[in-house]
Amino acid sequence: MTAATHSPLFPQVPAVPDSADAVLEGLDPEQREVATTLRGPVCVLAGAGTGKTRAITHRIAYGVRSGILQPASVLAVTFTNRAAGEMRGRLRQLGAQGVQARTFHSAALRQLQYFWPKAVGGSLPRLVDRKIQLVADAAAGLGTRLDRGELRDVTGEIEWCKVTQTIPADYPYAAAKAGREAPRDPTEIAHLYAAYEDLKRDRAVIDFEDVLLLTVAVLQDRQDIAEQVRAQYQHFVVDEYQDVSPLQQRLLDLWLGDRDDLCVVGDASQTIYSFTGATPDHLLDFRARHPGATVVKLVRDYRSTPQVVRLANGLLAQAHGRAADHRLELVSQRPSGPEPGYTEYTDEPAEAEGAARRIRELIDAGVPAAEIAVLFRTNSQSETYEQALADAGVPYQLRGAERFFDRPEVRKAGLALRGAARFGGNDSRLDDVVDLPSQVRAVLSGEGGWTIQPPAGSGAVRERWESLTALVNLAQDLAAARLGATLADFVAELDERAAAQHAPTVQGVTLASLHAAKGLEWDAVFLVGVAEGMLPITYARTDEQIEEERRLLYVGVTRARERLHVSWSLSRSPGGRHNRRPSRFLDGLRPGTTPTVGRSAGSVGGVERGIRGVDATAVPRRAQRTPARCRVCGRTLTDAGEMKLMRCEDCPSDMDEGLYERLRAWRAVQAANSGQPDFCVFTDRTLMAIAENRPDSPAELSRIPGVLSRKLRSYGAEVLAICAGQELDGEIAVD
């Protein structure tokens, strides 16, 4: 487990349950229904903190222990290596060894490696870990220069194409239909995508998405192989089903064949990865595809206090759209706690300092640093909080940074532990220690320089100590969970975790984006930067995009067990214009604001039985994507220029006319100097958007449609200077 989970690294249970019925002990009625409904399609709608992992692991264990399911015939699929590792650990504790718990990609890669010689011949092409260098090489081959930001964005578009099964020629149409903000001309991206695929073939390599695509192709083309896979796996469990992409759903369909022993678990209100191709439609349409399905709703929240749950429910009560129609009304099962706090700051540094000060107070009051998190919308916000925490003497870890098992001190410690496990009988340091934790401490003290007391201060030395301490803590938890565990057992556990990137606890406050925080939880959570332009983010313009931003905030709120603090700042930097306001999502929820007329209560917990024999084709098709609307009059926008401004051409504008004219004059100079037309610098629409928004920082300027990273680098400083009213050398005067 990570620092963000409340339970120990290894679930502490007195012993493996002594019978199948004992597996069911401690489950609530809805969780028990999930665990005992082992045949036919089952859809589990599980709200945040309602024990969905507990329900599905007990389901698998009960099926195995009762003899209804054969361990080797079960495939449990989830979305992260961490979640898969946690599921395997829980199943071991419940006496259900032999069950495969993997990610979609891991399961597909295993099958592809096994069947490739039979289906294609030879060995499987090499899998590349990161495709960004290949994209850069493909662009260079076309004579296209991509800066760092464009390279990342184009790579993201290629990934989206592959998981949505879009070929290069279809990209411009598919991107427009999906409402995607292409980082470059869509036709140019289509050419880059095609060149990337050609380059992979030339170099005989495959990427992450190819693993799924090739597995799908093998199962579609070779009926004998498909039948062999289906003979192996006869019962499927899919976690986080709201995040399934069309490609993953296609693979799942091929695994299933014409069978329906499938259990899916998800929550449409936690759909936050649509930009990667994930869609909740498969979850929401499950009953339509499987009319005989049993639907179980988990709403008993065991994670958060009533005060946190009330805010979470309030956020969704104001939501709109298809996911909101299926929202769950959570019911806290925990004792009462403090009300969420709300604080407004003058600027971002003050907000960071305020958060660090409160965190220091919590730690001094006894809250472990590993049980505190600071969550933000974009990774670019982390630097300010890293500095503030360092200044306050608070240890922290940045989630999504260098992977734990890739750290030099962890690799070195692993080698030392492996050597001690093999030749420990000749190591004098281990003569007087017999239990596993003492052995690990002795090895790390000698080889790694680990000490019981932490070093003073922060920085690299402290981070190194934190890494080694995480290994010591892992040994203690393994010894408590497995009586008689040896050093060799510990090394095997480390190898398994390294393969799955299932890192142990690191003591320190977690800094993470809201996307990276999904699936985690802490005692105290600080949601920072909750202001218009950040939540919702500026480039979220359609109703559908706005609602996903609301769900992102909902995910952040539901990470907190006891303490939740929400904050925002009025300007980016000290002395800046106070042109920000709190997020609209907080209207009616924070003190002093008028309650918004909400929707009716969401779904309550319970069980819905399916009706056999219903024609699934009779279910009406879902409504079309919600269009963009004018922010002034509300009319539907179809013109690309109007969509860029988010208002009708003839609706009133709050544009600074003088600023607009200065920008036009500056653009004329830039165009003349570079020998290109004016619109190649910035279009009139983009200049109008700049004049309407009046950005005062590179981050704010980059959020305006048309200001791509290349143009931000070339023109950003001068545009911001003009917006600030500064005179530029060579600027044409405007009367």
Side-chain angles (χ1 to χ4, degrees):
M1 301 237 190
T2 65
T5 53
H6 195 50
S7 55
L9 292 169
F10 299 91
Q12 300 296 300
V13 295
V16 173
D18 58 9
S19 67
D21 288 341
V23 172
L24 302 177
E25 293 177 1
L27 300 182
D28 67 33
E30 292 79 27
Q31 292 172 343
R32 181 179 285 257
E33 185 70 30
V34 174
T36 56
T37 307
L38 294 172
R39 293 302 186 193
V42 177
C43 179
V44 184
L45 301 178
T50 57
K52 67 179 178 64
T53 304
R54 176 179 174 82
I56 59 178
T57 51
H58 281 68
R59 168 196 175 85
I60 296 170
Y62 177 73
V64 169
R65 298 290 300 277
S66 64
I68 298 174
L69 304 177
Q70 295 302 310
S73 72
V74 180
L75 178 59
V77 187
T78 188
F79 279 79
T80 66
N81 288 317
R82 183 192 65 82
E86 179 181 346
M87 189 177 293
R88 288 192 294 270
R90 293 198 189 197
L91 290 171
R92 280 198 303 263
Q93 290 290 344
L94 293 169
Q97 293 89 348
V99 173
Q100 292 292 317
R102 298 180 175 275
T103 64
F104 268 102
H105 285 85
S106 173
L109 181 59
R110 193 163 180 259
Q111 293 174 18
L112 198 60
Q113 289 171 330
Y114 182 81
F115 289 112
W116 187 267
K118 179 179 180 180
V120 181
S123 58
L124 183 69
R126 181 174 62 87
L127 176 64
V128 292
D129 291 333
R130 300 176 70 248
K131 61 174 65 67
I132 200 162
Q133 185 58 53
L134 277 173
V135 176
D137 292 347
L142 294 176
T144 301
R145 292 181 58 85
L146 299 176
D147 62 32
R148 190 172 181 178
E150 288 176 319
L151 189 59
R152 183 186 64 247
D153 293 342
V154 170
T155 301
E157 289 303 289
I158 291 175
E159 291 174 349
W160 175 80
C161 287
K162 302 189 78 166
V163 300
T164 56
Q165 302 174 81
T166 301
I167 63 174
D170 291 346
Y171 171 76
Y173 171 76
K177 183 178 179 181
R180 295 186 71 81
E181 185 78 24
R184 293 179 77 100
D185 180 85
T187 302
E188 186 177 12
I189 293 178
H191 291 320
L192 286 168
Y193 178 17
Y196 168 78
E197 292 297 313
D198 290 341
L199 187 60
K200 281 200 293 108
R201 282 190 290 272
D202 293 343
R203 296 184 180 180
V205 297
I206 59 175
D207 62 25
F208 205 49
E209 290 73 34
D210 288 332
V211 171
L212 299 185
L213 286 164
L214 291 171
T215 306
V216 165
V218 168
L219 295 177
Q220 285 181 159
D221 296 343
R222 292 291 298 267
Q223 185 65 25
D224 57 329
I225 293 177
E227 290 176 355
Q228 191 173 342
V229 171
R230 291 167 192 161
Q232 170 71 49
Y233 297 117
Q234 299 165 19
H235 188 90
F236 297 86
V237 176
V238 184
D239 194 12
E240 303 289 1
Y241 194 56
Q242 77 279 351
D243 292 332
V244 166
S245 71
L247 179 57
Q248 289 165 332
Q249 180 62 48
R250 180 61 185 143
L251 178 59
L252 179 60
D253 290 340
L254 288 166
W255 282 340
L256 272 169
D258 57 2
R259 301 164 300 171
D260 63 359
D261 274 339
L262 169 66
C263 174
V264 300
V265 189
D267 179 11
S269 296
Q270 296 188 68
T271 304
I272 58 174
Y273 296 111
S274 67
F275 62 91
T276 67
T279 170
D281 289 349
H282 305 298
L283 175 67
L284 298 178
D285 292 338
F286 191 83
R287 199 46 138 0
R289 297 196 312 276
H290 303 279
T294 297
V295 178
V296 184
K297 298 177 181 179
L298 305 183
V299 298
R300 303 173 199 252
D301 188 325
Y302 298 96
R303 175 189 299 160
S304 304
T305 63
Q307 288 76 11
V308 173
V309 167
R310 188 180 306 120
L311 176 57
N313 286 337
L315 276 172
L316 293 188
Q318 300 179 13
H320 301 278
R322 193 167 185 237
D325 291 339
H326 294 79
R327 70 186 181 88
L328 300 168
E329 189 84 9
L330 299 178
V331 181
S332 176
Q333 307 297 299
R334 295 198 57 186
S336 183
E339 289 289 341
Y342 302 88
T343 306
E344 181 174 276
Y345 294 92
T346 56
D347 51 66
E348 287 184 12
E351 185 178 4
E353 291 167 8
R357 184 170 57 253
R358 290 173 182 268
I359 290 170
R360 180 77 267 173
E361 293 169 354
L362 287 177
I363 294 174
D364 292 342
V367 179
E371 293 296 350
I372 304 173
V374 178
L375 306 182
F376 32 74
R377 176 60 179 85
T378 66
N379 287 319
S380 62
Q381 295 170 266
S382 71
E383 184 178 356
T384 304
Y385 291 88
E386 292 178 56
Q387 185 62 54
L389 290 173
D391 292 344
V394 175
Y396 65 86
Q397 57 172 326
L398 185 61
R399 184 165 180 82
E402 183 183 29
R403 297 190 295 187
F404 179 83
F405 289 102
D406 291 339
R407 297 174 186 175
E409 65 270 19
V410 174
R411 291 200 301 268
K412 182 179 178 181
L415 291 173
L417 290 165
R418 186 170 287 104
R422 290 179 180 174
F423 312 111
N426 300 321
D427 192 333
S428 60
R429 292 172 301 182
L430 303 182
D431 288 347
D432 299 325
V433 292
V434 293
D435 63 284
L436 175 61
S438 298
Q439 291 175 331
V440 171
R441 284 193 291 266
V443 173
L444 296 185
S445 298
E447 293 290 335
W450 179 81
T451 58
I452 295 178
Q453 295 298 322
S458 58
V461 174
R462 178 60 183 247
E463 291 175 4
R464 182 174 174 275
W465 182 87
E466 296 282 4
S467 297
L468 297 180
T469 300
L471 295 177
V472 173
N473 293 337
L474 182 64
Q476 293 171 341
D477 285 328
L478 177 60
R482 299 186 204 167
L483 295 179
T486 66
L487 198 55
D489 294 330
F490 183 66
V491 170
E493 178 69 26
L494 287 181
D495 289 342
E496 182 179 341
R497 284 170 171 266
Q501 287 301 327
H502 184 193
T505 301
V506 175
Q507 290 298 321
V509 173
T510 299
L511 295 176
S513 70
L514 289 166
H515 284 100
K518 177 74 168 63
L520 306 178
E521 57 188 76
W522 296 267
D523 281 345
V525 169
F526 289 75
L527 293 175
V528 300
V530 188
E532 285 292 304
M534 194 59 72
L535 262 173
I537 199 80
T538 301
Y539 53 74
R541 295 188 295 276
T542 67
D543 290 346
E544 194 170 278
Q545 291 168 339
I546 294 295
E547 288 306 314
E548 181 151 338
E549 294 289 302
R550 188 194 307 274
R551 294 194 295 272
L552 194 56
L553 181 57
Y554 171 80
V555 166
V557 168
T558 54
R559 301 309 95 195
R561 298 192 196 100
E562 299 175 8
R563 297 177 177 87
L564 177 65
H565 196 87
V566 183
S567 63
W568 59 91
S569 57
L570 298 176
S571 67
R572 180 179 182 276
S573 55
R577 188 169 66 250
H578 290 184
N579 59 350
R580 295 178 175 176
R581 71 175 187 86
S583 170
R584 71 191 76 173
F585 299 146
L586 300 177
D587 291 349
L589 300 176
R590 61 187 178 90
T593 58
T594 304
T596 303
V597 177
R599 302 161 60 88
S600 59
S603 297
V604 297
V607 181
E608 298 175 8
R609 303 290 179 188
I611 302 175
R612 299 289 178 177
V614 175
D615 181 8
T617 62
V619 178
R621 298 183 63 175
R622 66 181 293 249
Q624 295 298 311
R625 183 180 300 271
T626 304
R629 299 186 183 280
C630 174
R631 56 187 167 88
V632 180
C633 71
R635 184 179 69 82
T636 299
L637 301 177
T638 57
D639 177 77
E642 292 183 338
M643 292 174 69
K644 179 175 287 190
L645 294 173
M646 282 309 294
R647 65 171 176 81
C648 302
E649 181 71 32
D650 53 357
C651 275
S653 168
D654 55 354
M655 182 179 70
D656 184 331
E657 296 289 349
L659 174 58
Y660 176 64
E661 292 303 324
R662 288 191 63 199
L663 288 168
R664 281 174 54 86
W666 165 84
R667 182 184 64 179
V669 173
Q670 296 296 322
N673 291 340
S674 60
Q676 58 185 346
D678 286 2
F679 68 83
C680 290
V681 180
F682 285 119
T683 65
D684 286 344
R685 298 281 185 177
T686 299
L687 293 186
M688 292 174 68
I690 294 173
E692 288 187 357
N693 287 276
R694 296 182 289 278
D696 63 3
S697 70
E700 291 184 2
L701 179 58
S702 68
R703 297 183 196 121
I704 294 175
V707 185
L708 301 177
S709 53
R710 175 172 52 83
K711 293 188 177 183
L712 181 66
R713 185 184 61 206
S714 300
Y715 306 125
E718 294 191 6
V719 169
L720 290 172
I722 294 172
C723 291
Q726 301 173 16
E727 295 292 336
L728 301 180
D729 293 338
E731 182 183 351
I732 298 175
V734 178
D735 294 330

